Amino acid sequence: MTLRIYDTLKRKKVPFEPLEPGKVSMYVCGPTPYAPPHIGHAYSAISFDSVRRALRWLGFEVTYVRNVTDVEDKIFARAREAGEDWPQLARRFADQYDREMALFGVERPDIEPWVSGYMDAIIDMIQRLIDRGRAYVADGDVYYAVETFSSYGKLSGQSIEDLRAGARVDVDERKRSPVDFALWKAAKPGEPAWQAPWGEGRPGWHIECSAMTFVTLGERFDIHAGGKDLIFPHHENEIAQSEGALGDGSFARYWLHNGFLNFSGEKMSKSLGNVFGCAQTAKTCGGEALRFYLISHHYRSPVNFEVDERGDMPDLHVADRRLDYFYTTLKRADEFVSAAKDPGEGPVAEGAGDLPERAREALSDDFNTPAALAAMSDAARLLNKLIDEPAGIAKDVRRRSIRRLAADIRDLAERALGILAMDPDEFLASRRARLAAHRGIDEREVEARLAARAEARRDKDFARADALRDELHAMGVEVLDTPRGAEWRVRED
RNA sequence: GGUGCCAUAGCCAAGCGGUAAGGCAGAGGCCUGCAAAGCCUCCAUUCCCCGGUUCGAAUCCGGGUGGCACCUCCA
């Protein structure tokens, strides 16, 4: 089955043919570490982490490059305010980014270029553009002469004429055309600066990605990805730079862009007070729940979170509950498998072997994680059913099917989707503790009442047992009677 | 103004021209001392509206309407 992906440049799904069979080179625009990450950053990180995992699961060997833009005005400004060295500040926030993305199961890139370490490559590329007549020096700045690049606008669908018409009035006079953009900015007093043939300064916003893809992945590579907002101007300008310097047909072969997050229908912004930090969200809702919620949408779609009066996001709690279901299912399967005799190889129940193929179809269709999750839901339901109902099926077939389903769910979830990787007991315990703390439930009190109830039930004093259960219910505790005794969970409502 | 994206049940959400996945909520049932959990059944003749192409359209084309985003170094 061939992989099809939606290419922003062609505006349609196209068959994916990597440069080298079986291998994928991929570059993702990474963070500018000047502040703690919010969950918008997480959406992008999770989306492309899922693409990476899906590619690997589908059998590709992936080289995943994600840059860190540590040379940037906002970093310099923050550092000045804080009285901190800018490299240190960038390091600090980049570390925080990695730590918090890990809460969502986002893996580290294979290669992580930092702009400050690629100045020579950046300067080389600018020089090459100047030599080829594509860029010009003006007062120590260097600008890209956009009009020399005839296909400018092909990614964002805009024409140079449109852009010129829409340009602001306060155009910099040093530019030959209002649509030209800076490759290099001359140093201002007190700002970090690097030495270049045309004077001291620092790179413009877009050139670093062109230079770093060239060094890390070469003249051509397979996939370039980033948030939708980067299509213009960032990625448009990258194309102009790379193709301008290296020739037509160089640079990225497929463009992937992911949607944005909204909160109760509104864009995230500081003034609306709806910027949600990653650490806080992971603490209240569980990091895995955020990932699960996000990958239950297609990566290109915008995602809306309903936010209630308390600033809480019910959608994430629903997702967390769904994870509880999957982990509970796996736990039941584990218990069943470890108690049962090894059934060996052989046939499985109808439908019990379908998951890998269904998931492969889903992920091969532009990384359709929602469809893969739908297949996983079907598998989990069948798994629970087989555990519950021993009748009407041969013992070995049943055992094999349960073992198989649990293994297939785990393989898909952990490797391709980045979820369900924890030990079920560990997940369930930490979730319960989180919810209990949130609702102010005293676990020792719960245990005491459960013990009293167990005694009452032994004595067949059901009135007393039910009264205790009602008390627990009022505390927010749900009692589950199992063959091994009573267990408890925190109620959802 | 220019450009791009989107509109599927009460809600969330897939759907590459072939007769509407999955989840939440809801109803009934199995199981249970009673529950919970789990499982079973039901829950869109229909995909914003109007035309068109086609044997056949949620899917393609044209025109509306309604959202969103980018053109301001915001993921």
Side-chain angles (χ1 to χ4, degrees):
Chain A
M1 184 187 318
T2 54
L3 169 62
R4 294 162 52 81
I5 66 180
Y6 184 90
D7 180 8
T8 307
L9 187 60
K10 298 195 176 66
R11 288 181 233 300
K12 62 180 179 189
K13 281 186 202 172
V14 294
F16 177 70
E17 285 156 11
L19 280 169
E20 269 187 79
K23 293 188 178 179
V24 180
S25 48
M26 180 169 178
Y27 183 95
V28 179
C29 285
T32 299
Y34 68 99
H38 57 246
I39 61 178
H41 297 108
Y43 188 27
S44 188
I46 290 168
S47 294
F48 298 121
D49 181 73
S50 299
V51 167
R52 173 196 200 176
R53 286 171 182 272
L55 285 166
R56 263 194 321 230
W57 189 81
L58 290 168
F60 292 98
E61 188 184 311
V62 184
T63 303
Y64 191 88
V65 182
R66 190 185 64 204
N67 71 295
V68 173
T69 304
D70 63 331
V71 175
E72 216 273 345
D73 282 353
K74 287 189 294 255
I75 292 173
F76 302 156
R78 282 291 177 105
R80 228 181 1 258
E81 288 163 23
E84 187 176 3
D85 282 348
W86 67 265
Q88 190 185 323
L89 181 134
R91 179 84 253 169
R92 191 158 59 78
F93 283 120
D95 287 347
Q96 184 175 356
Y97 179 88
D98 286 335
R99 249 191 340 267
E100 298 192 3
M101 289 312 126
L103 298 172
F104 308 124
V106 174
E107 295 182 336
R108 298 291 311 270
D110 297 311
I111 304 172
E112 186 182 81
W114 288 50
V115 176
S116 57
Y118 286 74
M119 279 302 160
D120 291 347
I122 289 168
I123 290 166
D124 281 352
M125 188 168 265
I126 295 173
Q127 187 61 55
R128 201 193 284 229
L129 286 166
I130 293 172
D131 294 344
R132 300 186 80 173
R134 285 248 150 83
Y136 54 94
V137 182
D139 279 352
D141 288 353
V142 182
Y143 293 99
Y144 192 98
V146 168
E147 262 136 86
T148 68
F149 187 69
S150 59
S151 62
Y152 190 80
K154 65 181 173 182
L155 184 69
S156 56
Q158 312 197 64
S159 68
I160 292 176
E161 290 69 42
D162 296 339
L163 291 165
R164 203 191 278 124
R168 297 291 175 277
V169 263
D170 54 335
V171 175
D172 194 319
E173 284 160 11
R174 287 169 297 184
K175 291 195 206 173
R176 289 181 193 167
S177 161
V179 294
D180 290 352
F181 59 90
L183 295 170
W184 189 264
K185 297 179 183 179
K188 291 180 201 143
E191 282 186 345
W194 287 259
Q195 195 55 240
W198 44 85
E200 274 210 332
R202 63 205 157 81
W205 175 32
H206 316 292
I207 190 67
E208 82 284 3
C209 285
S210 286
M212 293 188 296
T213 59
F214 178 61
V215 175
T216 57
L217 295 174
E219 278 189 29
R220 298 208 296 163
F221 58 97
D222 294 308
I223 296 174
H224 193 132
K228 262 198 167 85
D229 60 321
L230 296 179
I231 294 172
F232 190 89
H234 187 53
H235 289 161
E236 194 70 74
N237 290 351
E238 285 184 37
I239 291 173
Q241 292 161 352
S242 291
E243 288 192 19
L246 305 168
D248 290 348
S250 60
F251 208 43
R253 304 174 62 245
Y254 301 89
W255 288 89
L256 267 53
H257 291 97
N258 83 301
F260 261 38
L261 258 35
N262 286 302
F263 298 87
S264 292
E266 293 186 300
K267 187 176 168 170
M268 176 163 54
S269 78
K270 274 183 191 154
S271 57
L272 290 166
N274 60 357
V275 176
F276 293 88
C278 290
Q280 183 60 30
T281 303
K283 192 179 171 198
T284 54
C285 305
E288 199 170 344
L290 180 74
R291 185 177 186 116
F292 184 86
Y293 182 68
L294 291 176
I295 65 171
S296 69
H297 301 70
H298 186 89
Y299 74 89
R300 274 188 284 119
S301 305
V303 175
N304 186 53
F305 289 86
E306 286 307 322
V307 181
D308 65 21
E309 323 75 55
R310 297 188 305 251
D312 205 7
M313 293 185 283
D315 297 325
L316 291 184
H317 294 289
V318 171
D320 193 37
R321 168 71 184 98
R322 193 68 187 146
L323 285 174
D324 184 296
Y325 167 81
F326 282 116
Y327 273 115
T328 303
T329 301
L330 288 175
K331 178 186 160 88
R332 299 180 76 205
D334 291 347
E335 286 165 358
F336 181 93
V337 168
S338 60
K341 238 175 36 198
D342 184 350
E345 297 306 309
V348 293
E350 192 186 347
D354 294 352
L355 181 58
E357 187 53 29
R358 283 186 65 193
R360 174 166 286 272
E361 271 175 38
L363 295 177
S364 297
D365 182 15
D366 196 28
F367 312 107
N368 193 333
T369 51
L373 287 174
M376 205 172 84
S377 288
D378 287 340
R381 183 155 21 83
L382 179 57
L383 177 50
N384 275 310
K385 185 179 169 173
L386 286 166
I387 293 170
D388 281 345
E389 293 171 16
I393 181 169
K395 267 192 184 124
D396 276 355
V397 174
R398 176 169 174 242
R399 288 171 187 158
R400 259 196 305 273
S401 302
I402 289 169
R403 191 180 61 180
R404 170 80 173 273
L405 281 162
D408 285 352
I409 289 171
R410 274 212 169 89
D411 180 64
L412 173 70
E414 289 181 28
R415 285 176 54 222
L417 304 174
I419 55 173
L420 304 182
M422 287 176 76
D423 174 71
D425 284 324
E426 199 181 312
F427 174 89
L428 295 169
S430 71
R431 176 169 187 266
R432 190 174 77 180
R434 170 160 45 78
L435 294 177
H438 185 65
R439 296 187 61 145
I441 294 168
D442 181 344
E443 303 205 10
R444 292 192 7 222
E445 196 176 332
V446 173
E447 298 296 347
R449 279 172 210 245
L450 284 177
R453 178 169 172 274
E455 197 176 325
R457 292 183 79 215
R458 251 197 318 277
D459 301 340
K460 297 270 192 273
D461 183 355
F462 293 123
R464 175 161 163 67
D466 289 352
L468 282 160
R469 190 176 59 202
D470 290 344
E471 284 176 32
L472 285 161
H473 186 84
M475 289 164 63
V477 170
E478 212 162 59
V479 179
L480 295 79
D481 287 323
T482 76
R484 291 180 309 278
E487 294 177 0
W488 66 280
R489 55 194 293 153
V490 179
R491 271 170 50 212
E492 303 301 326
D493 47 58

